[in-house]
Amino acid sequence: STQAARTGSPETAPPTPLGAMIDSDYIKLLQNAILPIVVAREDYQDMGTGFLIAASGLVATAAHVLQDAVRVTIGSEGVEAKVVAVDEETDTALLHLPADAVSEHEPLPLGQSRDVCAPSKLLTVGYQNWRPGEDPHTIQVHVSRNMRDKPSFEVGGDLDHGASGGPLIDPSQGAVIGLVSGGVGSTIKEIVRIEQLRRLLEEQGHGNKRHEH
């Protein structure tokens, strides 16, 4: 579109929100976008979740997933990911994969988080206790606290180890509104606002101003 031409290549910028979706559609959307992140550290391996946000191979995750990483690979094929940017303050990070490694995946659109009220239903997909070859888990959560002036919001639900970095989609927007950050294993989970990720994208030259609200 002419809008896309003015604001940057659609290959390197996230797609626009899709609008209200039924459950089966956004579950499929999530499953087509997420990727298991395997982080090799000095003496052990750890798991996290990432999600494709641009067809060029740009993947988002939480910064803490990559902490002390010696090597970061994606999926059972073990494709090595390049770390593009890490912002520990906001717990956001960007990885890059070769475009052919994500050719069967679809990037997720980014929405807005500040007007999403409790107890809105959100959905995420993550790699809790994942083993190569296994499908990811689909998890429903609800917004428990969302104060507009805070850099994060809170949800309640069964998010466990390995879900960190995964996207939370708002069915009413058909878009991601946050990333799983803290509180994994507890009742209340901390979610980084998608606006924090969008800021990191813009700093890296991948932003798309037309998504701002």
Side-chain angles (χ1 to χ4, degrees):
S1 72
T2 53
Q3 261 190 325
R6 282 200 302 270
T7 52
S9 166
E11 291 293 309
T12 61
T16 53
L18 299 169
M21 304 176 75
I22 60 171
D23 286 14
S24 58
D25 284 347
Y26 63 76
I27 289 171
K28 184 178 178 184
L29 185 74
L30 278 166
Q31 290 177 333
N32 285 344
I34 69 156
L35 298 150
I37 297 177
V38 181
V39 179
R41 299 193 169 95
E42 287 292 345
D43 50 1
Y44 70 102
Q45 274 196 169
D46 207 357
M47 278 298 305
T49 300
F51 58 102
L52 188 67
I53 53 173
S56 58
L58 207 58
V59 173
T61 190
H64 77 268
V65 169
L66 307 179
Q67 192 171 7
D68 302 324
V70 176
R71 188 167 183 257
V72 180
T73 55
I74 302 289
S76 49
E77 301 86 13
V79 179
E80 188 153 5
K82 177 187 174 188
V83 178
V84 175
V86 175
D87 186 340
E88 292 177 358
E89 187 179 343
T90 61
D91 199 19
T92 55
L94 297 170
L95 302 170
H96 188 265
L97 291 168
D100 58 353
V102 295
S103 59
E104 295 182 9
H105 292 76
E106 291 286 333
L108 282 177
L110 308 185
Q112 62 83 26
S113 69
R114 296 187 191 280
D115 297 327
V116 179
C117 303
S120 297
K121 179 182 80 171
L122 307 176
L123 201 88
T124 188
V125 177
Y127 289 94
Q128 298 180 189
N129 307 310
W130 181 75
R131 288 176 176 79
E134 288 183 348
D135 289 332
H137 299 276
T138 303
I139 308 141
Q140 185 175 306
V141 298
H142 63 273
V143 177
S144 56
R145 196 175 190 204
N146 187 5
M147 299 175 70
R148 290 178 63 93
D149 58 336
K150 302 289 186 186
S152 61
F153 62 98
E154 294 173 357
V155 302
D158 184 26
L159 293 172
D160 209 342
H161 192 72
S164 289
L168 275 87
I169 202 164
D170 175 7
S172 70
Q173 296 181 50
V176 180
I177 65 165
L179 291 79
V180 179
S181 177
V184 167
S186 68
T187 309
I188 299 296
K189 277 70 179 178
E190 185 181 350
I191 307 300
V192 174
R193 294 189 186 282
I194 204 63
E195 288 83 355
Q196 305 278 21
L197 178 67
R198 191 180 283 125
R199 189 175 301 126
L200 184 62
L201 277 166
E202 288 174 0
E203 288 170 4
Q204 297 297 315
H206 297 288
N208 200 326
K209 300 284 188 188
R210 73 173 188 261
H211 295 157
E212 291 294 349
H213 294 279

